[in-house]
Amino acid sequence: MPGSRRSQRQRAVSELRAQGRYGPELWDVLPGFVGLGLAVLAPVLLLAWLSRMFGAVGLVLGVVGLAAAGTAGWRWRRTIVRRRGGHYTPAELARLDDPALVVAAARMLRRDGWHVIDLTEHGQPRLYARDHRGLELDVAFRPVATADEDEGVPGAAPLREAGRSGVDRLVRVVVHRGNFSRADVRWASRQGGVHLLDGHQLQRWAGGASLDDLGLPC
């Protein structure tokens, strides 16, 4: 005999959940509704308290303060969303340390449609990327030299470790927030398949230009 309507409904719900077609239950969405209610209620209570304590002046100051806080929050959120989408201003790039620059480069690659894998190990930042055409990128990073380091020394470790030789269609890229020296350029030209992306090109890339726009053979 078929089960009761309740058991039939439970089986139907279980099947829909297994297929990912059943929506969330009340307990799943309740925290979100509570948070939304508090977000609406808290400013109202604050304005009511300011109005009671300071009259019309307090109410006006409260409205202005909430408007300023809302504007600042909206700008902050827009900035976060923009960065996660792989877009950075020159000032933001200048503030990035070496690990943050690797994260930014990975976001920019994903923005342009590349599938990215972080191959960083032993303190040497490195990214591998592949696009829908099957093209491959091996991305290394040269840190900005400190005051006691010589920018003219050729063959720095990130340049020597810029890629794997003998791999078809692999484009090897070295990213640097500063300027490459002439010795660096000569070294890269002798390697074959190593492309240097300096600070100016990095700014263009962060602004929305693709690697194709920057002249890399991608």
Side-chain angles (χ1 to χ4, degrees):
M1 294 179 61
S4 64
R5 290 184 178 180
R6 182 177 180 181
S7 62
Q8 291 176 3
R9 182 178 182 278
Q10 289 177 343
R11 285 196 298 270
V13 169
S14 298
E15 292 177 359
L16 290 175
R17 284 179 177 170
Q19 299 171 9
R21 297 165 53 192
Y22 190 77
E25 294 184 345
L26 175 61
W27 293 110
D28 297 325
V29 299
L30 184 59
F33 281 119
V34 172
L36 179 61
L38 291 176
V40 174
L41 184 60
V44 173
L45 293 177
L46 177 61
L47 291 177
W49 179 79
L50 289 173
S51 178
R52 186 169 62 253
M53 294 295 296
F54 305 103
V57 174
L59 181 61
V60 171
L61 291 177
V63 171
V64 172
L66 288 175
T71 301
W74 176 77
R75 289 178 177 174
W76 175 80
R77 178 174 175 79
R78 186 178 64 174
T79 299
I80 295 299
V81 171
R82 174 173 53 77
R83 291 176 183 174
R84 288 179 177 175
H87 292 84
Y88 292 79
T89 65
E92 290 169 344
L93 284 177
R95 292 193 296 267
L96 297 179
D97 58 13
D98 292 332
L101 179 60
V102 178
V103 173
R107 289 173 175 175
M108 287 185 272
L109 286 167
R110 294 188 181 99
R111 177 201 72 196
D112 294 340
W114 296 83
H115 176 69
V116 183
I117 300 175
D118 191 342
L119 299 180
T120 298
E121 59 180 7
H122 306 303
Q124 294 292 335
R126 190 167 175 179
L127 298 173
Y128 169 79
R130 184 182 179 93
D131 72 353
H132 65 280
R133 299 168 294 180
L135 297 179
E136 297 174 282
L137 289 182
D138 190 3
V139 184
F141 298 82
R142 180 172 187 180
V144 176
T146 59
D148 58 347
E149 289 178 334
D150 183 2
E151 284 278 0
V153 176
L159 297 183
R160 295 198 305 269
E161 299 297 330
R164 305 187 302 271
S165 60
V167 179
D168 293 337
R169 309 189 72 182
L170 180 69
V171 178
R172 299 182 293 166
V173 181
V174 181
V175 178
H176 185 30
R177 284 183 297 168
N179 296 318
F180 289 101
S181 67
R182 292 182 180 178
D184 292 331
V185 175
R186 289 195 300 269
W187 180 90
S189 64
R190 290 195 300 266
Q191 306 308 306
V194 176
H195 303 273
L196 305 182
L197 195 150
D198 61 16
H200 175 68
Q201 292 175 305
L202 179 62
Q203 290 181 9
R204 290 184 57 200
W205 189 25
S210 67
L211 295 179
D212 290 323
D213 297 331
L214 299 180
L216 272 71
C218 296

